[in-house]
Amino acid sequence: MPYSAALAPALRGAYASSKLNLMNGQSIAHYKVLKEIGAGGMGRVYLAEDTKLGRRVAIKLLLAAAPDELQVARFHREARATAALNHPNIVSIHEMGLDGDTPYVVMEWLDGQTLRQHLAGGALRLDAALAWTRELVAGVAAAHDRGICHRDLKPENVFITADRRVKVLDFGLAQMRNDGASRGQDDVATASVLTGPGVVLGTYAYMAPEQVRGESADLRSDVFAVGLMLFELLTGTRPFRGGSPVETMHAILTHPTPLERLHGTVPPAVVSVVERCLAKRAVDRFASARELATALAALEGSTPPVAAASTATAAPIASTRPSIAVLPFTNLSGDAEMEYFSDGVTEEVINAIGQVKGLHVAARTSSFSFKGRTVSIQEVGAALNVTAVLEGSVRRSGQRLRITTQLIDVATGYHTWAERYDRQLDDVFAIQEDIAANIMRKLEVAFRTSALARPAASIDAYDLYLKGRYLVEQRGDGLVKGLEFFKQAIAVDPTYAVAYAGLAETLTVLAIYALAPHGTVLPEAGAAAAKALQLDPRLAEAHNAMAMVAVFRDWDWAKACAEFDQALELNPNLVEARFWKGLLYHQLSQGNMTEAIEDASRAVALDPLGMLPVYALAMVLLNAGQPAAAIVRCEERLDASPSQFLLYRVLGVACLCVGRGADAIAALERGTELSRRHTWFVSELGAAYAINGRPADAERLQEELLARASLSWISPITLAAIPLALGRVDEAVALFERAFAEHDPVLLTTTAWPLFSLVRKEIRVQRLFADMHVRWTA
């Protein structure tokens, strides 16, 4: 069977209608479609303009190209169930109709985020968690009062609007009371077919035990789901988890609720409510959401207003622990060439204070996203979830240096501390330490100067290092240019540890991005990381660099984990260590999808506006079998920053996984253009062509790759994707075997990447993975 045919069921899912991919700019009745905003189990949702009333609405279309009677019945049942519930905590239905043969439903347009997106930032404060749960339960109780059981409550189906209101979404699996009086007998018969006993419906991670067993769900099943979400709001993690859906469902059935995770941070009265919601037997739970609402109302006034439940706080909720963002210092030197210097000073201050435990420091990429923009301090605080902001300026004239700083309280907008430093250029390191120490005293956090990286022995070495960092952050050609500045810094000061760490990191990135032969650059990266550790064993960046070497050069997973952990122990705010550990160690080498998602999500919480953490999280979600979630992550970031070519890679493959072939090709074509025809994109675009019935185009791109491989190094894995998609499995296996023999670092990335799912079933490839000692699933 051709690979494209074999892969189609896994990649295309329920999405079959090319018409639905081309809706932008089209009209449905008097609604003009503006853009796609999401997809659920039954429909695709678009933002549209009501041309009669001049308002924005959301339109949901049934996904199937030729829907059968049961699909249409379920779609209509969802609309009727939701329309029957006129409640402020339930999304409102405006109308339903037909666009040709395609059923549609028009709903109110909601501006905000799903609860799942909020949970990416970790646990909420106790008061916020209870407030949102009360609103959620109010909506569910309104449904229960009308005899409607939702049966698919989960964070993806709970929406938090921009003005902090909770809305329950997606009644697609709702079960209405079977009384015949409120509905016609045909509806009753249809409902029994769609929702009868023995049919497992819902989302496995949020099912009640009776749903897992395939038994009929009732109002108490919704109560169980609410309990799961309340637990997650309070701790940042689900109570029942496993490495696979089967293991998670087994945990729901048999494992006791880990209430110890709540002890010490959550009042006993709240713990008791959670425990009753999550009782294994339905009879031991609250009888309905209305009864649960009463219990939650009784908690008001009996719980403290703020109680931290975890080290992370969801982004929209004001942080209750010391937290700060350092905005890019303004270059007042009158010389654009000094931009790297002012940026470097900012980065060094971020690094200095970021190593202090107990202090949340917004990551560099998020802080630098505000460079050159005029925004209020309150906007910065809300976007980065911080309570304080440090602003500054740098003026350099020859060897004279003036740095001014001011610390601003986000809540009040007032300056709480300001300082001006007039020094010689050689004093820049002392100035940075003074700034960090003053911030620590103001925020009342113990400051440990021993945690700081040793400064360069010479200002010239520091200058060169800053130029290297500035260029490397630009990626692309900046990687090679930055590499040279790191080498120059080391030549000036052979004992400059952080320059060696920068060198090691950049060399490893060049190997990962397949921009240089790994056999040359990875040994050099290992030597540089080892030298950095020898010079400064407490340098977090050096441990992170050594972890990367352990992953890609050595395939030594235990050492990689230990080095990642040491980096995060020394600097809890080191974003790179967090997302690389989640992707490379937890997911790709150990097959632990849950831990991978949690680590990548924490990285995004630390650096909410950075591209690389979002890219890593989207990749983790895609590898974990959640392509729709990966698409949302990519599209959200690309809306704000459409030139981030790496995101088009994940978006393209994720669209293949959900059957959006035209969208997949468009994304990969755009990424190919922006990346200047990077071999990853050329390879995966060719695979997309093959899967979507364009073999000649696929062959053309494979010929391009082979021609380029004759002139420069290209990973064998890159050369394997197109033959595999065209059904030449033996050719692909041979390339995998060559990659293993060459110790190609890209081989690790195939253990979960969807495009290689078929080749992972080959026993010859399974033996390779066994020899690599990775844990994976075919």
Side-chain angles (χ1 to χ4, degrees):
M1 176 187 298
Y3 176 67
S4 57
L7 189 63
L11 289 183
R12 294 177 182 173
Y15 300 88
S17 173
S18 60
K19 171 187 175 183
L20 296 179
N21 293 328
L22 303 172
M23 290 300 301
N24 291 5
Q26 302 297 309
S27 292
I28 300 173
H30 56 280
Y31 303 100
K32 182 180 179 180
V33 175
L34 302 178
K35 68 174 182 177
E36 182 178 336
I37 56 176
M42 292 177 60
R44 184 166 291 161
V45 184
Y46 297 88
L47 171 63
E49 180 184 359
D50 184 337
T51 58
K52 287 186 177 179
L53 298 178
R55 62 179 177 179
R56 288 193 162 190
V57 297
I59 294 185
K60 185 172 185 178
L61 300 179
L62 186 59
L63 286 175
D68 58 34
E69 288 187 20
L70 288 181
Q71 289 173 313
V72 173
R74 180 172 287 173
F75 191 77
H76 286 165
R77 286 180 63 248
E78 174 188 0
R80 285 197 297 270
T82 310
L85 303 170
N86 183 17
H87 191 274
N89 295 120
I90 298 175
V91 64
S92 298
I93 299 293
H94 296 324
E95 69 168 291
M96 57 189 290
L98 286 174
D99 178 41
D101 296 328
T102 303
Y104 69 86
V105 173
V106 182
M107 301 173 287
E108 66 173 315
W109 159 247
L110 300 176
D111 183 20
Q113 291 184 313
T114 66
L115 183 57
R116 170 62 65 215
Q117 291 169 311
H118 283 286
L119 283 169
L124 270 69
R125 298 183 327 196
L126 175 62
D127 55 347
L130 290 176
W132 281 1
T133 303
R134 289 186 183 104
E135 288 199 41
L136 165 62
V137 171
V140 177
H144 286 185
D145 291 346
R146 297 292 300 268
I148 297 175
C149 178
H150 190 287
R151 300 197 306 171
D152 195 23
L153 290 171
K154 57 186 177 181
E156 290 79 0
N157 286 340
V158 178
F159 199 89
I160 313 299
T161 66
D163 58 355
R164 322 301 295 153
R165 291 175 296 126
V166 177
K167 295 275 190 175
V168 181
L169 312 177
D170 202 342
F171 281 77
L173 296 183
Q175 185 176 39
M176 294 180 276
R177 70 162 64 94
N178 188 2
D179 58 11
S182 60
R183 297 183 292 148
Q185 294 302 320
D186 288 343
D187 287 343
V188 175
T190 300
S192 67
V193 172
L194 294 173
T195 63
V199 179
V200 178
L201 294 174
T203 302
Y204 71 88
Y206 294 90
M207 287 181 178
E210 58 272 17
Q211 288 175 286
V212 172
R213 291 190 294 266
E215 299 169 0
S216 295
D218 63 18
L219 306 184
R220 296 166 296 184
S221 305
D222 283 351
V223 169
F224 189 91
V226 171
L228 290 172
M229 285 187 280
L230 177 55
F231 187 101
E232 196 167 355
L233 285 166
L234 294 170
T235 67
T237 60
R238 299 197 313 268
F240 305 111
R241 296 181 299 169
S244 69
V246 171
E247 291 173 345
T248 298
M249 290 189 284
H250 176 73
I252 291 171
L253 287 173
T254 62
H255 292 185
T257 304
L259 297 173
E260 65 277 3
R261 294 191 211 166
L262 302 174
H263 294 160
T265 60
V266 177
V270 179
V271 176
S272 178
V273 169
V274 174
E275 183 178 22
R276 187 172 173 189
C277 286
L278 297 180
K280 300 294 184 188
R281 298 193 314 160
V283 69
D284 295 328
R285 297 178 213 139
F286 296 101
S288 69
R290 183 63 61 193
E291 185 176 327
L292 172 57
T294 301
L296 289 171
L299 294 175
E300 292 194 76
S302 65
T303 58
V306 174
S310 120
T311 58
T313 306
I317 303 300
S319 178
T320 60
R321 60 184 175 137
S323 53
I324 188 171
V326 183
L327 295 184
F329 285 15
T330 304
N331 171 29
L332 299 180
S333 302
D335 182 357
E337 290 296 317
M338 288 294 101
E339 197 71 21
Y340 77 88
F341 187 84
S342 59
D343 285 356
V345 171
T346 310
E347 183 173 355
E348 288 302 306
V349 172
I350 292 173
N351 288 340
I353 63 179
Q355 297 175 51
V356 178
K357 294 181 180 178
L359 177 65
H360 174 86
V361 183
R364 178 194 185 281
T365 47
S366 283
S367 293
F368 272 63
S369 69
F370 291 97
K371 185 172 182 176
R373 295 167 54 190
T374 302
V375 295
S376 69
I377 292 299
Q378 286 71 27
E379 288 178 273
V380 175
L384 302 183
N385 189 31
V386 294
T387 57
V389 171
L390 183 74
E391 292 183 322
S393 64
V394 177
R395 186 187 300 275
R396 177 177 170 180
S397 178
Q399 292 298 305
R400 294 293 301 169
L401 185 67
R402 170 175 290 179
I403 296 179
T404 62
T405 57
Q406 51 190 8
L407 188 66
I408 305 171
D409 183 89
V410 169
T412 66
Y414 292 127
H415 297 153
T416 60
W417 163 76
E419 193 73 63
R420 189 179 81 181
Y421 304 86
D422 287 302
R423 308 279 182 87
Q424 291 295 313
L425 188 59
D426 288 342
D427 291 336
V428 66
F429 307 121
I431 296 174
Q432 290 163 0
E433 290 188 17
D434 285 349
I435 294 171
N438 278 328
I439 293 169
M440 294 305 100
R441 285 193 292 270
K442 198 64 187 177
L443 295 177
E444 298 180 348
V445 176
F447 182 56
R448 301 174 298 139
T449 56
S450 60
L452 295 178
R454 187 191 63 78
S458 121
I459 192 65
D460 292 334
Y462 179 66
D463 239 9
L464 292 165
Y465 168 75
L466 291 185
K467 290 178 180 177
R469 290 301 317 172
Y470 181 82
L471 288 165
V472 166
E473 290 294 337
Q474 313 307 312
R475 289 298 196 254
D477 296 340
L479 288 169
V480 176
K481 294 177 181 177
L483 199 68
E484 291 308 310
F485 279 110
F486 289 143
K487 291 179 178 179
Q488 291 176 38
I490 291 169
V492 171
D493 179 6
T495 65
Y496 195 10
V498 74
Y500 282 100
L503 178 66
E505 174 193 352
T506 307
L507 288 166
T508 307
V509 170
L510 286 170
I512 296 170
Y513 286 4
L515 296 174
H518 63 277
T520 302
V521 296
L522 284 180
E524 190 178 349
K531 184 66 174 179
L533 287 173
Q534 176 191 344
L535 292 168
D536 189 352
R538 294 189 58 78
L539 183 61
E541 289 84 349
H543 286 282
N544 182 61
M546 184 56 77
M548 300 289 285
V549 170
V551 167
F552 289 110
R553 187 193 68 181
D554 306 329
W555 293 346
D556 187 337
W557 319 125
K559 180 180 179 181
C561 182
E563 292 290 349
F564 279 132
D565 287 345
Q566 183 63 26
L568 291 167
E569 172 68 20
L570 291 168
N571 184 353
N573 293 290
L574 189 59
V575 175
E576 293 84 353
R578 183 68 65 190
F579 68 69
W580 283 130
K581 181 185 178 186
L583 174 63
L584 302 177
Y585 175 73
H586 282 310
Q587 185 172 78
L588 297 183
S589 72
Q590 302 300 301
N592 190 328
M593 302 299 175
T594 301
E595 294 297 331
I597 292 173
E598 289 187 2
D599 261 344
S601 297
R602 289 181 66 184
V604 171
L606 286 168
D607 191 3
L609 302 182
M611 187 278 292
L612 286 175
V614 170
Y615 171 63
L617 176 57
M619 184 174 287
V620 164
L621 291 169
L622 178 55
N623 285 337
Q626 300 182 34
I631 289 171
V632 169
R633 286 289 180 176
C634 292
E635 291 184 335
E636 284 178 344
R637 187 50 49 88
L638 286 170
D639 281 346
S641 185
S643 64
Q644 301 291 351
F645 68 89
L646 286 173
L647 294 172
Y648 285 103
R649 182 189 181 213
V650 181
L651 177 61
V653 176
C655 285
L656 282 177
C657 290
V658 297
R660 292 166 51 183
D663 292 340
I665 289 173
L668 292 170
E669 286 179 336
R670 180 59 174 154
T672 302
E673 176 188 358
L674 290 173
S675 68
R676 300 180 184 178
R677 302 194 71 77
H678 189 287
T679 55
W680 284 350
F681 280 98
V682 174
S683 173
E684 293 178 353
L685 175 58
Y689 283 152
I691 291 168
N692 285 278
R694 296 171 59 178
D697 289 330
E699 293 284 14
R700 174 176 52 80
L701 293 186
Q702 184 69 0
E703 290 173 4
E704 175 188 333
L705 291 173
L706 291 171
R708 292 169 65 176
S710 68
L711 300 174
S712 61
W713 180 83
I714 290 181
S715 165
I717 298 302
T718 302
L719 297 174
I722 295 175
L724 185 62
L726 290 168
R728 302 200 297 265
V729 177
D730 286 342
E731 182 180 340
V733 171
L735 287 163
F736 265 66
E737 290 173 336
R738 179 182 143 196
F740 179 81
E742 295 177 0
H743 213 89
D744 182 354
V746 183
L747 182 58
L748 177 66
T749 66
T750 69
T751 60
W753 195 236
L755 286 180
F756 296 107
S757 60
L758 190 63
V759 80
R760 289 196 294 268
K761 299 182 184 297
E762 291 290 319
I763 188 65
R764 292 167 289 176
V765 173
Q766 292 176 12
R767 291 195 189 105
L768 301 180
F769 289 140
D771 289 341
M772 291 174 67
H773 303 292
V774 299
R775 299 176 184 175
W776 60 283
T777 57

